[in-house]
Amino acid sequence: MPVSIDICDSCIKVIEGEQQGSKIKINKAFIKEIDKSYIHNGYIHNKIDLTLLLTDIVNEYGLKNKDCFISFNSTDTVYKEITLPKTKYSNLDKLIKNSIQELFGDAINLVMDYEVCNEIKEDDKIFYKILIYGVPLKIVEDYKNVISNCGLVPKSLDIKRNAIYKISNNSINGEDIKDDINLFIDITGNDMMLSLMSKKIVLYKRDVDISEDIKREEIFLQGNSQEVNKEDEYELLEEIAISDIKKDDDITFLDDQDHHQEEAIFISPILLRVYEEVHKITQFSMSLNNGDIQKIYLYGDREDLDEIADYISNNTNTSSEKIKEIANIKSNVDIDISKFFIAIGNLLRK
């Protein structure tokens, strides 16, 4: 069975499995934390130690000489959506290469690829919607070298958003979503990746560094501890001001008892940040002719994804839920689908 590895700055998520017709068979699934100095924004900064770590994983789990599919995310990846008339694939390839030349020039520092996402009909003519994307050459070469040196066989390097639309052809949480407009939110480590998708097209994408929000969250969670730096606590309370929670403009002077009651309704900075980003994307989606967001799906390695989903549902007009089930998966191990969502999607071949 091939191996799918989802690369993050703080961990790597590994699936051994394969696509069997319409089903996905999973044999092994595990997560390994990595030093944050190894990878940043998709770039490998410590190839030696990362190779040693992966070599240990390959030996420990018996993965040697297996085909390997890598998924990663980097803000330096470039995207462009184009529309071309439907034609034979041999002709289409030439048209796309000409389009790449026009859009990106020689692109000597990028590895270009494309995906035919769907067909549309306009004025009785059929067109292809095509996503063209370019990955920095350094990222491609470094991953190829590391994967080869650790005993695996590199077969593909793909961006994480491609895994989302591939797996969205399967029903998620019991619903068929492939023709809907849905927002996918990945919260893993210090990163939040938001992808507004419709019929395999990325309508909106945003990558957010939430490291400062996580620091504020830690202060928030330690609010009752005597060890908390009061200066940090006061700064936090100012940033998550009561004005964000109160619905009127009155200034209320609280006695001690009321003060504790008011503190109890303070909201985690992560919840506020997610809500802020969802609000931005909702406003964008409302400007589209396609329609509103049908549902928001959360996945990643946080343990409070259900809580975040509930907060979004309760404070917006859009239903939100953690990804817990993907149709047609057969697994030999217990697996948290939300944590391995990208790695599972990356198993699917075109």
Side-chain angles (χ1 to χ4, degrees):
M1 285 186 176
V3 175
S4 173
I5 301 180
D6 177 12
I7 297 287
C8 309
D9 287 3
S10 59
C11 66
I12 56 175
K13 304 174 184 181
V14 183
I15 291 278
E16 182 189 54
E18 62 183 349
Q19 182 179 4
Q20 297 180 339
S22 62
K23 299 184 182 298
I24 305 170
K25 185 176 180 180
I26 296 174
N27 189 41
K28 297 174 183 175
F30 54 90
I31 298 175
K32 294 289 186 180
E33 293 186 1
I34 61 174
D35 191 288
K36 293 182 180 179
S37 66
Y38 289 4
I39 299 170
H40 180 66
N41 193 28
Y43 290 90
I44 299 175
H45 290 283
N46 190 332
K47 287 189 284 188
I48 294 176
D49 286 343
L50 181 61
T51 302
L52 292 173
L53 174 64
L54 286 172
T55 300
D56 289 342
I57 290 173
V58 167
N59 293 332
E60 179 181 354
Y61 291 93
L63 306 177
K64 193 170 181 60
N65 296 324
K66 289 184 175 290
D67 291 347
C68 183
F69 310 134
I70 302 289
S71 59
F72 79 104
N73 189 52
S74 174
T75 57
D76 288 345
T77 300
V78 295
Y79 303 81
K80 188 68 177 180
E81 180 191 319
I82 63 172
T83 302
L84 292 174
K86 184 175 181 179
T87 183
K88 294 180 181 179
Y89 265 88
S90 57
N91 296 331
L92 183 65
D93 190 62
K94 294 177 182 177
L95 291 174
I96 292 173
K97 287 180 179 178
N98 290 336
S99 298
I100 290 174
Q101 179 70 27
E102 293 175 5
L103 291 169
F104 300 101
D106 291 333
I108 58 175
N109 293 318
L110 292 173
V111 176
M112 307 301 302
D113 202 354
Y114 66 89
E115 179 73 22
V116 178
C117 297
N118 64 334
E119 297 181 7
I120 59 173
K121 190 173 183 180
E122 295 180 359
D123 300 327
D124 295 325
K125 295 181 180 180
I126 300 177
F127 296 86
Y128 286 129
K129 283 282 189 180
I130 300 165
L131 177 66
I132 297 175
Y133 55 95
V135 177
L137 179 61
K138 178 173 175 53
I139 289 180
V140 175
E141 290 180 340
D142 284 352
Y143 279 114
K144 183 178 180 180
N145 291 335
V146 167
I147 294 303
S148 298
N149 291 334
C150 76
L152 293 168
V153 182
K155 284 295 182 179
S156 75
L157 177 67
D158 209 349
I159 55 178
K160 295 192 181 191
R161 288 186 172 90
N162 282 352
I164 299 174
Y165 76 66
K166 284 191 289 186
I167 206 168
S168 63
N169 286 323
N170 297 54
S171 66
I172 295 178
N173 291 356
E175 295 185 38
D176 182 359
I177 68 167
K178 60 184 178 182
D179 293 325
D180 296 338
I181 298 178
N182 296 290
L183 175 59
F184 292 86
I185 304 178
D186 181 348
I187 309 178
T188 298
N190 291 327
D191 300 310
M192 178 164 60
M193 185 179 79
L194 302 102
S195 307
L196 184 63
M197 314 282 291
S198 175
K199 298 179 180 179
K200 298 186 178 181
I201 295 293
V202 180
L203 303 176
Y204 183 105
K205 64 182 179 66
R206 180 165 165 78
D207 300 307
V208 181
D209 182 346
I210 58 172
S211 56
E212 291 302 316
D213 300 280
I214 290 175
K215 290 179 183 176
R216 293 166 59 219
E217 181 186 48
E218 290 172 352
I219 296 172
F220 172 84
L221 294 174
Q222 297 172 4
N224 294 325
S225 172
Q226 295 181 352
E227 297 178 1
V228 174
N229 184 303
K230 289 299 179 183
E231 214 173 277
D232 289 339
E233 186 174 355
Y234 293 149
E235 181 180 344
L236 171 69
L237 299 183
E238 184 177 342
E239 291 179 356
I240 315 172
I242 294 175
S243 59
D244 288 337
I245 301 164
K246 298 174 75 67
K247 301 302 181 183
D248 55 61
D249 296 325
D250 295 337
I251 297 175
T252 304
F253 294 93
L254 305 172
D255 60 26
D256 289 341
Q257 182 178 359
D258 289 335
H259 177 70
H260 291 302
Q261 292 174 349
E262 191 67 41
E263 282 187 328
I265 63 170
F266 282 155
I267 302 170
S268 164
I270 294 297
L271 294 178
L272 293 176
R273 185 59 183 272
V274 174
Y275 172 81
E276 177 187 345
E277 296 298 333
V278 168
H279 179 72
K280 290 177 184 176
I281 296 180
T282 300
Q283 294 300 309
F284 171 81
S285 181
M286 289 173 63
S287 69
L288 301 177
N289 294 327
N290 309 57
D292 296 333
I293 300 172
Q294 271 71 52
K295 187 162 287 188
I296 298 171
Y297 292 99
L298 289 107
Y299 62 98
D301 62 5
R302 286 184 65 95
E303 300 298 332
D304 60 349
L305 291 178
D306 281 319
E307 178 185 345
I308 296 174
D310 288 342
Y311 183 79
I312 295 172
S313 296
N314 293 333
N315 290 277
T316 70
N317 294 322
T318 307
S319 174
S320 176
E321 58 190 45
K322 172 184 172 181
I323 295 177
K324 298 179 179 179
E325 177 187 345
I326 301 171
N328 299 326
I329 285 186
K330 180 181 179 181
S331 179
N332 295 330
V333 293
D334 290 334
I335 182 171
D336 185 334
I337 295 295
S338 68
K339 292 182 179 179
F340 292 94
F341 182 65
I342 294 296
I344 294 171
N346 201 37
L347 283 173
L348 302 176
R349 299 295 91 201
K350 298 179 183 179

